[in-house]
Amino acid sequence: MVAAGIDVGAETVKVVLLNGEKVVGSSIVRGGLDRSKSADEAMDEALKSAGLSRGDVERTVATGIGRKEVEFATAVATEIAADARGVTVLFPSVRTIIDVGAEEARGIKTDGTGQVTDFAKNEKCAAGVGSFVGSMARALEIQLEDMGPLSLESDKEIPMNVTCVVFAESEVVSLIHAKVPKPDIARAIHGAIATRTTSMVRRVGIEKEVVFIGGVAKNPGVVESLKRHLGVDFLIPEEPQMVGAIGAAMIAATAN
Amino acid sequence: MLANYGYSDGSGTYYITLDTDKCNGCGDCVTACPQQMFLVEPDDYDDDKVVIKEAMRKDVKYLCAPCKPTAGPRELPCEATCAPGAIVHSW
Amino acid sequence: MAEQKPEFWRWHEYTWRDEGKNWKDYEMITAGVDIGSVSSKAAVMVDGELYSYSLYRTGSSSPDSAHKAMQGCLEGTGMTIDDIKFIVGTGYGRVNVPFAHKTVTEIACHARGANSMNAGVRTILDMGGQDCKAILCDERGKVQQFLMNDKCAAGTGRGMEVVSDLLSVPIGDIGPLSLGVNREPPPVSSTCVVFAKTEAVGLLREGFDVAEVLAAYCAAMAHRVVTLIQRVGVQKEFAITGGISKNSGVVKRIEKELGVEAVEIAPDAQLAGAIGAANFAKDLLAKQMARAGG
């Protein structure tokens, strides 16, 4: 049977199709304002990549902030449950999950069977989540994907007021006016996210192995900063933003 | 004067209240705080009073975290060392 | 390649002078300069009476903004900066007022200023560009308690500017528009301005019009500062200072939620910090003169 997991995030929609335990198709699309439409698009794209049609999918579990807007879902799962399940499939030895997405960040403790034992979230403040890096990239007038590599060119710690995205935008503009090199600014921005993330994860406690997932884990600047702040090494899956969808698909595959 | 330093944001309310009428300017808190957050300086009315360093006011939740274990009793060095009892944490 | 886009957030800059006074007739000429994160204000006092003031947008350099604000008070008067006997700097950029004789925190200055503009004032809510403060003062304007939130743009003028830009509504129109609605959507639930933007776009999609979305945002902002001010408590009279005091949509909703009406503080509530600073300057000058004379 084919089971689907769909993760409707604040910025992107991810779909994973499983046949048994094997991934047979996947997709990632930018979410529009109409979440249910974006969900349809992502599903169709994943089906196309697998050469399947809607009728082949037996069960679909939806997760993510827009999970309730997926009309074709047969069940929903919280992001935390989906993350824990997905990580357990990929890395059974992991006990601590750090997930930083576009508008939400989570620290999750899991027992190795996919069960969640504790978690902490940041869903109320954009400083400390992915949309912060996006806003800052716009203020710096560079592409989002260049932020990470650019920040790695810097070895300077510059002081910056990074408690609020709105204030940080004006601060970045004045730093540019003051001729502060862009790599140094980018590094300070990533350092700010890493500080917030570290303190969030410390609330649940850091137990090895640690994994870093979510779209922000693709940014090498944040990864480097987080390593410095956290003081422990961590794993990163090849497709860190797909873990929630994989977990949702696993939940769908094993549901009765 | 009750000076509240800190902030409230989506995650909660974090204020350290310094009662400058009680504060005698002794500076014991300055040495007690492992994060060195306190400073004794002349206030707007020219009395030596304790303040939280300006650069640290927006980070109290994070800076104070090591002194605040999630479980078990807490003993905050700043509150404990202040003889006149001028320091109070809101969280 | 700067994009040409109307600046909806831009507010009115101006200067004022008391034409009926000749500053040369007075002895104690003092000034207060309040360099905020968004606006720069200066006020000149002669023997404790207001003589001139100015209100400008803060530029990228605080010292330049300070000069500009001060110059606005002096223009056309024949007065030079050297004629001012004592200048107090205040506000976020107070350490960058090159010609100030002393700096005083904006908390003390706002309390002093609002209290001098209306003697009954005991509670001041200062809603500035990048922060929000609740202050209790005594009958002489001395601070009894204060609480400040400057961590986050929610509840600040900067946050309002972001909304004005997002919805393409001139900032001065937000208040009246938000009060003219027949139905109010639920207040935006996000504390964070960035997330509130996403929410505002969602409300528009659901069919709420711009005025209703503004109402939702003003209500959220009012609620947020009310929770702040309730931590210090409200004693009468209650005054609102800072840029947001000019937004009736937020002010009316704060009054409604608190159950207390805000008193008017003339001539301009945005000047409370600068006027307070000029008052401090007058006291400090008197002290200096007493020492020199005695």
Side-chain angles (χ1 to χ4, degrees):
Chain A
M1 84 159 228
V2 175
I6 179 163
D7 177 2
V8 184
E11 249 171 45
T12 53
V13 182
K14 285 83 60 177
V15 172
V16 167
L17 300 174
L18 290 179
N19 193 342
E21 289 208 349
K22 195 170 166 281
V23 176
V24 293
S26 70
S27 71
I28 174 163
V29 304
R30 274 202 89 70
L33 281 172
D34 188 342
R35 282 188 174 134
S36 93
K37 197 171 139 225
S38 305
D40 275 326
E41 277 169 29
M43 189 63 180
D44 290 339
E45 202 178 309
L47 287 169
K48 209 172 131 198
S49 76
L52 298 169
S53 67
R54 290 274 176 135
D56 299 322
V57 179
E58 200 168 322
R59 270 194 295 268
T60 304
V61 168
T63 186
I65 191 172
R67 61 181 177 271
K68 289 182 183 139
E69 291 166 60
V70 182
E71 280 152 26
F72 54 84
T74 43
V76 294
T78 65
E79 296 95 318
I80 289 164
D83 278 357
R85 190 65 183 269
V87 162
T88 307
V89 174
L90 297 170
F91 306 110
S93 58
V94 162
R95 295 294 175 273
T96 310
I97 304 164
I98 304 169
D99 177 1
V100 185
E103 288 200 356
E104 207 173 293
R106 307 168 200 103
I108 306 166
K109 278 296 263 292
T110 170
D111 63 359
T113 69
Q115 291 296 310
V116 174
T117 54
D118 196 5
F119 68 89
K121 282 207 281 190
N122 168 19
E123 52 183 342
K124 299 285 176 63
C125 172
V129 295
S131 67
F132 178 55
V133 188
S135 303
M136 294 304 107
R138 272 196 299 281
L140 281 170
E141 296 178 321
I142 61 173
Q143 293 295 314
L144 177 58
E145 51 274 24
D146 296 338
M147 281 287 281
L150 188 72
S151 74
L152 295 180
E153 292 169 18
S154 160
D155 53 7
K156 268 225 279 304
E157 293 284 343
I158 56 158
M160 192 179 155
N161 164 21
V162 278
T163 54
C164 173
V165 173
V166 175
F167 297 162
E169 274 170 0
S170 355
E171 178 129 356
V172 163
V173 172
S174 45
L175 287 172
I176 294 171
H177 284 161
K179 307 252 185 296
V180 174
K182 286 186 181 180
D184 295 346
I185 304 176
R187 181 177 157 130
I189 290 160
H190 294 145
I193 291 216
T195 314
R196 295 286 177 277
T197 307
T198 302
S199 105
M200 178 189 71
V201 183
R202 285 216 176 110
R203 266 187 282 155
V204 298
I206 298 162
E207 193 186 329
K208 282 193 166 184
E209 299 286 326
V210 181
V211 69
F212 183 22
I213 62 170
V216 175
K218 289 170 77 175
N219 178 328
V222 177
V223 170
E224 273 309 303
S225 266
L226 191 59
K227 273 185 190 151
R228 274 197 303 276
H229 282 88
L230 212 55
V232 296
D233 218 346
F234 44 79
L235 304 159
I236 302 174
E238 218 168 296
E239 295 285 353
Q241 76 277 33
M242 300 301 284
V243 176
I246 294 172
M250 278 305 295
I251 295 171
T254 53
N256 294 311
Chain B
M1 174 175 81
L2 293 176
N4 297 284
Y5 296 103
Y7 55 87
S8 68
D9 65 8
S11 69
T13 297
Y14 311 94
Y15 282 102
I16 300 174
T17 305
L18 304 178
D19 187 338
T20 60
D21 296 324
K22 287 184 182 166
C23 173
N24 55 18
C26 69
D28 285 351
C29 53
V30 176
T31 42
C33 174
Q35 304 279 6
Q36 298 169 336
M37 287 165 66
F38 297 97
L39 188 69
V40 173
E41 62 172 22
D43 69 1
D44 291 325
Y45 311 99
D46 280 334
D47 299 314
D48 278 340
K49 297 294 179 186
V50 65
V51 297
I52 306 269
K53 289 179 189 165
E54 194 151 352
M56 297 182 152
R57 290 173 194 169
K58 291 175 202 161
D59 278 325
V60 295
K61 171 182 162 190
Y62 301 103
L63 293 167
C64 293
C67 288
K68 296 190 174 195
T70 47
R74 72 172 194 184
E75 174 141 344
L76 301 175
C78 55
E79 284 185 4
T81 195
C82 183
I87 304 172
V88 178
H89 286 227
S90 76
W91 79 107
Chain C
M1 264 208 324
E3 233 177 278
Q4 284 301 314
K5 199 183 156 199
E7 292 173 310
F8 294 104
W9 49 264
R10 196 172 279 282
W11 36 264
H12 183 52
E13 301 179 309
Y14 75 108
T15 61
W16 172 90
R17 174 158 54 101
D18 185 344
E19 305 282 354
K21 288 192 179 87
N22 182 350
W23 60 273
K24 287 180 178 150
D25 300 340
Y26 298 85
E27 187 190 7
M28 309 254 291
I29 299 172
T30 63
V33 183
D34 177 5
I35 306 301
S37 56
V38 170
S39 65
S40 295
K41 287 94 24 180
V44 173
M45 278 187 154
V46 291
D47 291 354
E49 287 171 35
L50 200 54
Y51 173 72
S52 64
Y53 58 78
S54 69
L55 169 64
Y56 289 109
R57 191 164 179 90
T58 299
S60 55
S61 145
S62 295
D64 292 351
S65 304
H67 275 293
K68 190 176 176 191
M70 198 66 249
Q71 226 41 55
C73 290
L74 301 178
E75 219 168 85
T77 65
M79 192 193 293
T80 69
I81 217 161
D82 297 327
D83 293 317
I84 305 173
K85 306 273 170 36
F86 208 106
I87 302 174
V88 164
T90 188
Y92 160 92
R94 62 181 175 274
V95 292
N96 289 316
V97 182
F99 46 82
H101 300 98
K102 193 181 185 326
T103 62
V104 175
T105 64
E106 62 268 37
I107 293 160
C109 287
H110 270 274
R112 181 73 189 271
N115 180 268
S116 79
M117 290 151 90
N118 184 324
V121 168
R122 296 290 176 276
T123 308
I124 299 108
L125 175 65
D126 173 38
M127 298 181 73
Q130 285 206 5
D131 64 27
C132 182
K133 311 175 198 79
I135 310 166
L136 292 181
C137 71
D138 65 13
E139 66 286 352
R140 294 184 324 264
K142 191 177 169 185
V143 179
Q144 295 296 298
Q145 180 169 185
F146 76 83
L147 187 141
M148 166 153 169
N149 199 3
D150 59 353
K151 187 194 169 254
C152 144
T156 68
R158 190 72 196 88
M160 194 54 90
E161 289 180 359
V162 169
V163 170
S164 125
D165 224 29
L166 173 76
L167 298 174
S168 302
V169 175
I171 200 140
D173 298 347
I174 290 180
L177 267 176
S178 82
L179 291 174
V181 294
N182 294 321
R183 57 163 187 174
E184 291 213 17
V188 292
S189 60
S190 304
T191 305
C192 177
V193 175
V194 177
F195 296 165
K197 265 167 82 170
T198 319
E199 238 184 290
V201 173
L203 286 173
L204 290 174
R205 264 200 60 243
E206 280 172 38
F208 290 103
D209 65 24
V210 168
E212 287 161 347
V213 175
L214 289 172
Y217 188 75
C218 289
M221 189 158 175
H223 179 71
R224 186 171 157 76
V225 298
V226 163
T227 55
L228 186 81
I229 202 161
Q230 277 168 342
R231 284 186 71 82
V232 301
V234 180
Q235 290 167 24
K236 279 197 169 178
E237 301 288 340
F238 167 59
I240 305 179
T241 64
I244 299 288
S245 66
K246 294 177 176 170
N247 184 320
S248 55
V250 177
V251 170
K252 292 282 174 236
R253 288 178 173 89
I254 292 173
E255 289 176 336
K256 196 175 157 201
E257 205 171 324
L258 275 181
V260 180
E261 250 179 66
V263 293
E264 183 141 344
I265 50 171
D268 184 333
Q270 215 171 342
L271 290 166
I275 291 175
N279 268 304
F280 269 104
K282 181 195 70 183
D283 290 357
L284 290 160
L285 176 62
K287 235 190 239 177
Q288 204 177 58
M289 284 162 66
R291 265 203 303 272

